[in-house]
Structures are given as C-alpha cells and as structure tokens.
Amino acid sequence: MGKNVVSDEEDEFEVEDEYEREHVDGHRGGRDIDDDEEDEEDEEGQDEYEKDGFIVDDVDEEERADSDEERQRKKKRKKKENYTLDEDDYELLKDNNITIPHWKNKKFKRLKKAQGVSEEPSGLSDEEEMFGSGKGGRTAKEKLKQSLFGDDEGSPLEDIAEEEEQAEDEEDGDIGEEDEMDDFIVDEENEHGAPPKGGRRPKKGGNRRAPGVSLSVMQEAHEIFGDVDELLQLRKQDLDSSEWRERKLEDEFEPIVLSEKYMTEEDEQIRELDVPERMQIYEEITGSPPLDDCIVEESNWIHGQLQSGTVPLFGNRGMGTAKEGGDLSIDKVDIMRFLDLLHVQKLDIPFIAMYRKGECLSLLKDPEQPEDDDENQDKNGKTPTLKWHKVLWAIQDLDRKWLLLQKRKSALQSYYNKRFEEESQLVYDVTRLNLNQQLFESIMKSLKAAGSEREVDDVDSKFNLHFPPGKVGLDEGQYKRPKRKSLYSICSKAGLWVVASKFGYSSEQFGLQLSLDTMRNDELEDPKETPEEMASNFTCSMFETPQAVLKGARHMAAVEISCEPCVRKHVRSNFMDHAVVSTCPTPGGNVVIDSSHQFSGVKWLREKPLSAFDDAQWLLIQKAEEEKLLQVTIKMPERDLEKLINEFNEYYLSDSVSKSAQLWNEQRKLILQDALFGFLTPSMMKEARSLLSSRAKNLLLVEYGKVLWNKVSVGPYQRKDTDINSDEEAAPRVMACCWGPGKPATTFVMLDSSGEVLDVLYTGSLTLRSQNVDDQHRKKNDQERVLKFMTDHQPHVIVLGAVNLSCTRLKEDIYEIIFKMVEENPRDVGHEMDGLSIVYGDESLPRLYENSRISSDQLPGQSGIVKRAVALGRYLQNPLAMIATLCGSGREILSWKLSSLENFINPDDKYGMIEQVLVDVTNQVGVDINLTISHEWLFAPLQFISGLGPRKAASLQRSLVRAGALFTRKDFVTVHGLGKKVFVNSVGFLRVRRSGLAASSSHFIDLLDDTRIHPESYGLAQELAKDVYDEDIRADTNDDDDALEMAVEHVRNRPRILKGLDVDLYASGKNRENKTETFYDIKRELMQGFQDWRKQYEEPSQDDEFYMISGETEETLAEGRIVQATVRRVQGQKAICVLESGLTGILMKEDYSDEWREAELSDRLHEGDILTCKIKSIQKNRYQVFLVCRESEMRSNQHHYVRHLDPYYHEEQSRLSRQDKARKEKELAKKHFKPRMIVHPHFQNITLDEAKEFLSDKDTGQSIISPSSHGPSHLILTLKVYDGVYAHKDIVEGGKEHKDITSLLRIGKSLKIGEDTFEDLDEVMDRYVDPLVSHLKGMLRYRKFRKGTKAEVDELLRIEKSENPMRIVYCLSISHEHPGTFILTYIKSTNAHHQCIGLYPKGFKFQNRMFADIDQLVAYFKRHIDDPQSTQFLRSISARVPM
C-alpha cells in the first residue's frame, strides 16, 4: 500500500510525538522493554515477510494531499536505496551474540490470504518499520549502528515498533471479509493485545478496532490518516496498479496441510458454489451430468444392471441370478425421475428420500424388511425406523459408472477418428483402404453398443490391433509406441493378411454368427487350390516356406478372432456361467495349513462354480495363493468346453467334403484351437479372477456397512425415569470409567447431559486384592473418594470400559460402593440414582479417539485415559456424534476394526460406505443447531447433512458459533450465507428450537422449525393444522399469521386430535392426492417433531460382554478349537489352566488321557506345564472353558469347529505320511543339487539340511555358505542363531554369462543381499556376517535375555509378574517360528504381549526404527510402552524377517 515518504526532520518530529503519546497511553503496550527485546530476538528465525511499507507519519494536510504519481516516484526511489549485509557479516554478528533482522533478496513477505489480490510494498524495509525509522537514505552501516546502540534522537525503539504494529492491525482490519486462516493459525494474544513472541500478530478481518486498542488510539489514528474509507479507496487504487503479487498459501504450506484443512483454491470454490458439496466432488470425477435425452438411455441401462442381480445390494441377495434381481420390482420410470432430481434439480439423496418419496416409491423399498411393514409403517401409527436407502445409493453408484463409461467412450471416439485419418493418409493400397474403412465402421458401431468397461476394453483391443498407435501419439505423450513389434504386425507387413482373409469368414462375420446376430445364409466357398499352394505365392525373406506363411497367417486369424468383441462377449458369457474353481495345497501349504488355520476352509475345494462364491471366500483363496500355500485352477468343465468348441466349428468350418475343403478345415481347426486355448481362455481366466475379487470386495463392503449401520443406528442410553419428555434433559449424566493397570490409574470421568467434562477422579488402588494392611488402607481411601464423587455428581448410569477380566472385579467393586452409598446416606442419594446400573462399553472406538488429533483439540491438556473415558461416556450419550467425530480430515474411523476381513477393502471404498451410512442416519435423526453451537463435539455430524460436506459444514459452523444462537431457519440464508440450493437440501434436517443459548432467549421461534417439515411445505402444514383446529373447537378462524401459529401450537400441544385424521381422505378432499406422502409426514411431525427413529439402546448381552472382556471372537474361540493352555495348579481330579487371553481353563482327569484311570493327575501334570488342548465347552457367564486333550479326541473330528463347511470341500485322502514326505523332499533336494566351483573357507558344496547338520554342534554365531536350490545364480548363507535355530539368507549373484556353464558354476562378479551389494565372499563376511554375529551375541548376553520357546518365556514372565505385581515385567527371547528375529515379551497387567525385533548388520529393528544397540532399543520401548501397538508377532512378519 502506498505511503507518504517524509523527510528526516519530519521523521524526528514523528518519533518525538509518538514517544509522548506512548507515555500518555503507556498501558496499551502491556510489555516492558525486556519483553520487546526478546520479541526482536525471536524474530531472527522467522521466514520472509512481505514489505507493507507501514510507517506512522505526522504530516500536515498539504503534504497528505500529494499526488499519487509523486508518491509512486518517491517509493521507487526508496526501493533503490535499500541495502543488505553480506551473509558473512550476518555470521560474524551472530557469533558475537548480536541479533538483527535477517532477510534474503531484499524481499520481506508476510503470510497473506490467497485471494489473488496483490499488495504493493512501500519503500521501507521491515527493519526500518521495526526500529520506527522513517529516514529514507540511511545506509546499512547506519542501520547497524542504530540496531546496536539505539537512536539518541528518538524514543525507545521497542515502543515505536509496537505503535506501528498496532496501527498496522487497524489498517489491515479494513480489508474485506474474515481471514479463512482464522481457525488454522492460532492468534495467542495476551490480555493487553500484545502479539505472541517471535512474530507479528496474524491479521483479522472484519473488525476496525483491534483487540486491546482503546478508543483514544482509534481517534489518534483518524487524526493521522483522516477518513478510513478514503484510505481504503487509495489502497484499492494502489493494489490495482501494483506489479507485486502477494504470496499464496500454496507457496507457504505443504499441499497435504492445505488439503487437510480444506484451504486450497478448489476447496474455496466448492464452499462458494451453490451446489451440494458431495455432488460437486461427484461431478468432478464423472464430468458433466447427462442431458435429458441421455437420461432415458441411462435409466434403461441402470434398470438392466439391477434386474440382472449383479449389484450386491443386500448381502447374499442379488448376487447370482436375474430372478433375484427381478424380485426388487423396481420401476424404470422411478429411476428416470430420480436421475432428474439428482442431476437437473441438484437434490441430494437424503432430501429425495424424505421430501420426494412420492416420485420414486419403488426405489425406497428394502427387500430385507417385510413389505407390509415397510409400506404401512407411517400409516398404521407405529414409530418409523431408520431406513438405509440402499437402492438409491446403488443407483447413484451405477450412475457414476455409466457417466465414466460414457466419458471414456467419448474420449476413445475422438482418438479413433483422429488415428484413422492418420492411418488412411499412409495407406495407398485401395483394397487395404476399403478393408480399413469397413473395420473402422465396425469398431465405431461396436464402441457405441458397448455397455460395460469389459466390452469397451474389447473394442479398444481390436482397434489397437488394426490401428496400432503411431508416432503422433508418442509426440503428444499420451499413447506409447510399442518397443517391440508384435508377431501380428510383422505378419501383416509381410502381406500375410491376404492369406489370412482366404481362410473363410472374417473374425467379424464369425462373431456375428456366433452371437446369432446374423444367420448363416450362404455356404462357405473353399479356394480351389490347397493351403500350401496358396501360401507358396507369399513366401519372402521373413517367411521362407509355405508352412511358415501358413503359420503366420493362422496366427493373424487367431489373434483377430480373439480380439473380436462379439466373440469375446460370447466366450465370456459361457466361461463365467460354467467355469469352476478348484484348490489344493502346495507342499508347504500342506504343512502350514492345519485344522485351525485361517485357510483351512479353502484348502481343498473341488470344482466350485463362480456363481457359488457368495461371500469373501475368494479373497482368502487369493491371499493363500500369494503366500504360495495354495494352487488355484479356474477352468471350464470338459463337457462345457467341448460344447463351445463344437459351436466354434459349426460356424467357422466348411460343410464341403472335397479334399481341398478338408485341408482348409484342418487349418481352420488349428486357428480355432490357437484362438481359444492360446488367447481367449487365458484372458477369461484373468477376467474371472478380477470378477471374483471385485464381487467379493463388494460383498465384504456391504457386510461392513451393515455392521457399521447396526452401531450408528442405535439411540442414546435411555434413562429409566418414566416422566421425562423429549428435551435434551433426557440425555443421561454419565460416569465413565476406564480400568488402568496403575500407570495410568483407573480413571473416573463425570459428564453432564451434554457430554461436557464436569470432574475427573484417579483411583490407583481401587482394584487391589492384596490383604496387606497398607494396600487395604489405600483401597478403602479410594472407595471413599469414589463414594463422594458419585454422591456429589449423582450420575444416571455408569459405563465401564471392557478390556480384560480385571474389569469384572472392578464392576463388583463399584457395585459395592453403590450399595454402601444407598445404605449409609439414603437421603443424599437422589431418586435418579435408584436402580443405578453399570453397563460395559467397548473401548475400541474410545481408544481411536484417545490417539486422534481431534481429541487434543477438544480436550486440551487432558491425559490419554481421560480422553478415552470421555469418548466412552459420549458414545453412550450420542453414538452418532461420537462416530462422526472420527470422520474428520484424519479419517481415524478407518482404523475402527468392524470385520476380520476388512483389510481387503480399499480405504477409499471403505470411507465411501461409512459416509453413505452416516449420511442416511444423520439426516433421519437431524442436528439440533442451538444445542450444537454450545457443545463443539456435537458439530461432527453436520458435515453429513444433505447438501453440506466437510467444507460447507466447517464454514457454517464458524458462522453459527459467532452468532451464538439461531432463532429461525431463514437465518441460514440471510445471516449464515447458505446458497438457495444448499439451503433447500439441508434445512429440513436442521432443527431449530429452544436449546443451548437459545433456551433462555425471549426470541420467537416457529414451532414448525422444530419439525422435519420442510419450509416448502409450511403452508400445507399450517393449512392442515388450521383444519384440525377448526374441527376441534367447532369454529371457523381467520387465515392470518397469528391464527395459523395458534392452530399449529394447538395441535402440537394436543397430538391426540391428530391421531384420528384420515390422511388419504383429507388429501383427496383437498384434491392433493399427489401430496399424500407429504401429508403423512406433516401429521407425524406435528404429533411429535424430530422423534428419534433410532433403535433403543440395549445393554450388552452375556455373549457380547464375554467377547469384549476376553478379547476373543466367535472365530478365535469356539467349541472344537485347538488352543494352548498353561497349568496353574492341579487339584485332585482336575487341573486349573489359563489360556493366552486370560480365560480360565478346566481340564478334568478323564479328559486328560485315554488311560486316565492308570495314574493320578498330580503325578502327570505340574504347574507351568503347557498343554495343547481342544475346547470342549464354554461357560461364558463364568469366563471359563472346559478343555480336553485326550489323543483320541484330538485326532477325531478335526473340522468340528468349522460352523459352515463349504459343500464343495473335498479333502484328498491320498496324503503321504510325514516321514515319507520328509524323505521324498530330501531325495528331491539331492536330485536337484548342483555343486559349485567356488573355493572359500566358509563355502561347502552341501545341501541345506546338511548345512544345518554341520552347524548343529558348532557355537552360536557360526555360519556356512552353500549352493542354493534357487539355481546357479544364488547362494544360501546359513547362520546358527541358537541351538536348533538356523537362519537363512539368500545371496544373489550378478555379472554372469548365462550361456556359459562354467561361468554359471563359478561365483558371480557381484553379490547382493537384500539392498546391500558386495564384491566377494570376504566382503560378505566382513561387512554383513561379522556385524550380524556381534549383535546376535550382544543380544544373547543381555541381562534380560531368556532361553526357551515363546510359551516357556511367557510362563517365566508370569511368575515374575506374580512376584512383582506393581512392575511391568519384560524380557527378550529367540523367535523359533521366525529364525533371525527376537521377541520382546512384556506383561502390563495379566496378558503377555509380544513384539518383534529384527536382526540386521546395522543393529536391531524395532517398530520400524533402527537401533545401534539393545540398550537404546529397550530405552525406546520403555518410553513408548503405552503407545497403541499392534502385536507384530503374526504370520505376515515372516515376509519381513531380516534373515
């Protein structure tokens, strides 16, 4: 912004004047000189600032009237006089502890809002501003002198700088609207308005007076600057003429930061555009919506897709036959209306489902619910239930696919036309030109008819076969030229296309006959000459013999047939209908996959049809195949394949019986054989795999959505009071409790009915079971504190996080306190606490909240366990709001594990399903705006309201919070800036009533604003209310506004008078049958506005509690399941054991052995023994299981625990015994063993088994290198990690001549282990093996290292824990399952936890971090023991094992 440049004398006057003013209004600064000096020092490390040229100048009226041109000239002159010091000078000053502002390129910039408005800098640098100097001609030396020693003539520098900054804020306050970064850059002003240390105060718009600035200062500013509006006008002129461009946010922040905060230019455009936000995102992907004439075609396509049953709308329904799809009884006209509402009228799905249901009734039916109940729910007076509008969402998804398909077809059409014109210019043969013309017309026709991505792929492959991409595509960077010429193109250039055309029908003719589009009218005429005679005319250097010519021509014909869309469509249909899947284990899989393995159910499948895969089973098969545990075959049964071949022959072979015809038919058979088995079948196998994967993922996604729906659609906990109304007071006061092992302690948090924290209580000794006097005293003290806590706050319900068996004892302790409270102080206990119940809550979601960024924003300064307890309580009060809280930019909700197979689902697809479910639920529940304004955490569901989204919701939230309360729905448009379309979409779901700050207001609030009735129907609602009111009081009232309001209030206060209203009769009487559905909604809402349609909260069942507390699932713990149990004590006829999950196991004497009568149980079992048992039965109410380990029982009925064994499961009986298998494997290894020509002390020509045997009696850390079974370009390094534990590492050799057998058998010129490269074996030993062994021995010598298997080490730790219950015990041990890794085992409370440590030459890898020694690793582990860690001791670790 342009400023007046003053002379030295004027500047001195200005400084003195400011000095006097500073003493008059000295309180404004709020800081002493020392503070200002610290601020200046802090500014040294800041980024560049923009020069805004702001100086305070006291000039008279004449000088203020200088022309703009003169100011511009002076500014340019000032710019030229800016000097900077060299970098060396700055370094010298820094070394001497002298700090002055440091800038680069003479350009200081401050962060501005990126609105594309340039701001012109003045001639003064920021340094001059900081030191309050207006002297234009000051040199760098003078500036340095002033900064070091001050200015004798002026006032204290800090005061002047402060005055200038305040004046700057006043100036900047006049610039337009509020800064969009207000919620991003925190403005931490102190009470006197001083900016935070280290930088200037961020600008705020909209307010002329900055915070902390008195009226007198504003008057002085007015005296200095004159009229502010005039100043702004001058500034605007300067901005318009400025050459300088302000820096944008994109230049200051990483794109990921701007994206997370929705601060990009695209986000701003989405916020401003008056179209529903999700619709804008949707149209960004799909392109422009369809035109009216296209909607008919699209609705036909969508209807066909739904009727075919290929859309997984309802789990297993609609996945197989067209009959199942036809059961949906969807009206095609309804689809057209829905698409019109969606694309033309820009209405969101929730709005259509609520307020336009009469236009698409058939799309709102849910086949999973009884039809009568679904249709007549509103009409029979029952409370409606939440509806998941699956058909509408499925149609929207199909609409997206259709639009993307049309977009792709349009792009291909343009490219095909362009490419064909280019090709036509290069062809001079008329015959070839005509053939190309026919091909092109055929391709364009096929492209237009293509109705799926697969069919478009078919057309594209045919086009690229006949018109391969040329140089033009390469120049444009869009289509790559093939690096190698295909055999087809070589044959075509050699002229063999002529021979290929002589075989008979073209690929297109064959395809049309195959698909029965054309009938075979004319007989195929065979050439008179034989195939070889014909081919002899086309021999050349590339194809020297007639046989070679025929082979090339046959290849061309086969490729053309395999690329023909009609042929592919016909084969695809046959293959998908008849193909079957079979699985069998690999040799490795046969050993690994036992009866309790995840893949046991798919180990032996025999000829299972593709259509029979109606769940996520294929994903397990695919995973097992990737892990090389299963062999999978997909093929057509012989009978169906034979039928297809006969069909091919019928339409392609000649019926003639001449010798020449038979010779040509032989060629044709070879062509069909090559096309079917060489090209089509392998291609269809890939497509079948892709189809099975996408289908399984879609089904899994629907199942995931169902689980989420069941959690989100549950209402808040209902108080037991019978006299409560539907106001917010009905929400319970919740006391949430999270069990803690000691650090942190068990924590109680008290929440009011709005979910705000009232009080926190830590109790470290409440759950002590020790008889020690001190422990008992501490426990009693904690009990009394909890008693007072409960008496003070009078909770309605207590929710206890269920994490382990200790929680059952904690629940008993709390009940004991409640009984004590009722007995000792019955008068202090309110009637709300009568029958106070304790319910278990799942801690999985609260733990996500505890570690999320949003929890730090909402509950700053609170510990993790408090945040968890708050989330636990809020989830009970409002599950929807709590789940929506984790749907912010961090998308923490994706980590909420709802399905054991959800890892197969793409995160974006998963979030799309989460959004779909939350949008449906949120809009049917509604958002209470005034209550939400008062409680930030309740804002979370706002983004899922129809028409809104995260960007529009955040903008609306800021506006609402500033306003403090809302009294009418109209204010959304007039005050809060919602566009008309967005307002129409959203307003019916936004509840305006007397809650929050509006509860005590005297403002009038329309009763209809507290209903789901849309403002567009207020007239109908008032008319209906008036008619009912007139009928009730037997009088005819006026139609003025007051009378209508009175009628509405009358019927709302007396809902009984509406019950008898016959809506159908009323609608027909008013000649508004088309509004019948709307009248039903109005009647329901006038009786009870925003009635909660969610399912009532039900306390967890016994099964739910059991699985929450044990941490098990129905899959991991079931009768017949094999488990490991550790014996705790032996009592006469039974042994008490403990399972890994902490559950108690009971093993009776008769279940221990088949010869149980021969000896006492105590003689055969001892404490600490580890048993492999089978679960006999489960007692969930006592958290214990009965075990059996008799050999006869363990062998029999291996699949007893598999609840739904696949009907296509057939296990092969011809399996070898283990001994035979081991022997055969050894013989096979010997047979394939190839000795190598390598001489080295650490190398021996022995097999892997012999290497283990060789190292068996050697010391730990000894190693040997031997030939690898992977071939002559590999060696294997075997390291003895521990007794019986050997790690193997593959060494890849490079630089070999593969054609020379001698070179192959010698060692390679380079050796590679992982990412490390070595020159020879000596370097391998020095750089890789020796450091590895050093770290290994360091681990084995470590004081916390323990010998034994995983189970044995666990037992040792449990004993140590029992001796030191208050300590977290841990140790390190060898991993026997994954040699080359170690296990860090620790016990915090009762269960043993395991984490993996990798051994590397550089040290130890733990939690993706590398540590040079074990002490560093252990120190890191201790610091982060409370961080959420997933147990890394899983099978997937084997893929990452370093050795």
Side-chain angles (χ1 to χ4, degrees), residues 53-67:
F54 187 90
I55 59 171
V56 181
D57 46 357
D58 263 347
V59 294
D60 55 25
E61 291 295 329
E62 297 169 11
E63 288 174 315
R64 192 179 290 118
D66 282 350
S67 68

Side-chain angles (χ1 to χ4, degrees), residues 773-1014:
V773 177
D774 290 341
D775 290 345
Q776 287 293 312
H777 179 71
R778 288 204 305 274
K779 179 174 181 176
K780 187 176 180 182
N781 185 39
D782 274 352
Q783 286 177 330
E784 289 174 355
R785 288 168 63 220
V786 174
L787 180 65
K788 185 177 185 308
F789 190 78
M790 292 170 67
T791 308
D792 290 347
H793 296 295
Q794 302 279 312
H796 295 126
V797 63
I798 299 171
V799 59
L800 173 59
V803 285
N804 54 37
L805 283 169
S806 299
C807 297
T808 59
R809 295 189 286 273
L810 178 58
K811 186 177 181 180
E812 293 168 4
D813 291 332
I814 298 172
Y815 267 128
E816 186 182 331
I817 294 169
I818 294 172
F819 295 147
K820 187 176 180 183
M821 182 169 63
V822 174
E823 284 178 10
E824 295 181 1
N825 308 298
R827 294 181 182 177
D828 295 339
V829 180
H831 71 93
E832 298 99 338
M833 292 189 64
D834 291 345
L836 177 66
S837 59
I838 303 173
V839 297
Y840 282 120
D842 184 7
E843 277 199 8
S844 56
L845 188 83
R847 283 185 183 274
L848 288 179
Y849 178 79
E850 174 190 349
N851 296 292
S852 68
R853 284 181 294 180
I854 189 72
S855 67
S856 301
D857 295 338
Q858 291 182 353
L859 302 168
Q862 297 286 12
S863 62
I865 196 168
V866 171
K867 294 176 185 175
R868 194 193 322 155
V870 169
L872 191 66
R874 286 178 175 176
Y875 186 82
L876 200 67
Q877 291 177 320
N878 195 333
L880 170 62
M882 200 58 239
I883 291 170
T885 300
L886 296 178
C887 296
S889 57
R891 294 189 176 185
E892 293 89 350
I893 192 70
L894 292 174
S895 301
W896 194 18
K897 193 165 181 62
L898 300 178
S899 165
S900 57
L901 298 175
E902 67 181 60
N903 290 335
F904 289 109
I905 308 174
N906 178 288
D908 289 335
D909 293 339
K910 194 195 292 188
Y911 192 76
M913 178 57 73
I914 291 168
E915 194 172 50
Q916 181 188 126
V917 169
L918 286 173
V919 164
D920 255 346
V921 175
T922 303
N923 286 282
Q924 291 176 71
V925 172
V927 172
D928 185 341
I929 290 298
N930 284 320
L931 187 65
T932 302
I933 290 171
S934 304
H935 308 287
E936 183 192 356
W937 73 281
L938 294 173
F939 263 116
L942 188 64
Q943 64 165 308
F944 299 109
I945 288 291
S946 172
L948 300 180
R951 299 159 190 81
K952 290 182 184 290
S955 179
L956 179 60
Q957 178 182 347
R958 287 194 293 270
S959 180
L960 288 168
V961 170
R962 281 198 300 270
L966 191 83
F967 302 103
T968 173
R969 282 173 166 174
K970 293 176 185 175
D971 284 355
F972 285 118
V973 176
T974 57
V975 178
H976 302 290
L978 284 189
K980 183 180 176 183
K981 287 192 180 74
V982 175
F983 172 78
V984 167
N985 272 284
S986 62
V987 69
F989 310 106
L990 300 174
R991 186 178 189 184
V992 179
R993 63 170 181 155
R994 294 195 184 281
S995 58
L997 296 177
S1000 56
S1001 172
S1002 59
H1003 279 77
F1004 169 76
I1005 293 182
D1006 192 335
L1007 289 174
L1008 294 178
D1009 285 353
D1010 188 18
T1011 67
R1012 292 184 178 91
I1013 301 170
H1014 197 278

Side-chain angles (χ1 to χ4, degrees), residues 35 486 497 513 865-866 916 938 967 1071 1147 1150 1240 1384:
D35 289 337
S486 65
W497 60 273
Q513 290 183 28
I865 196 168
V866 171
Q916 181 188 126
L938 294 173
F967 302 103
N1071 292 322
L1147 179 65
E1150 59 269 24
H1240 192 272
L1384 192 158

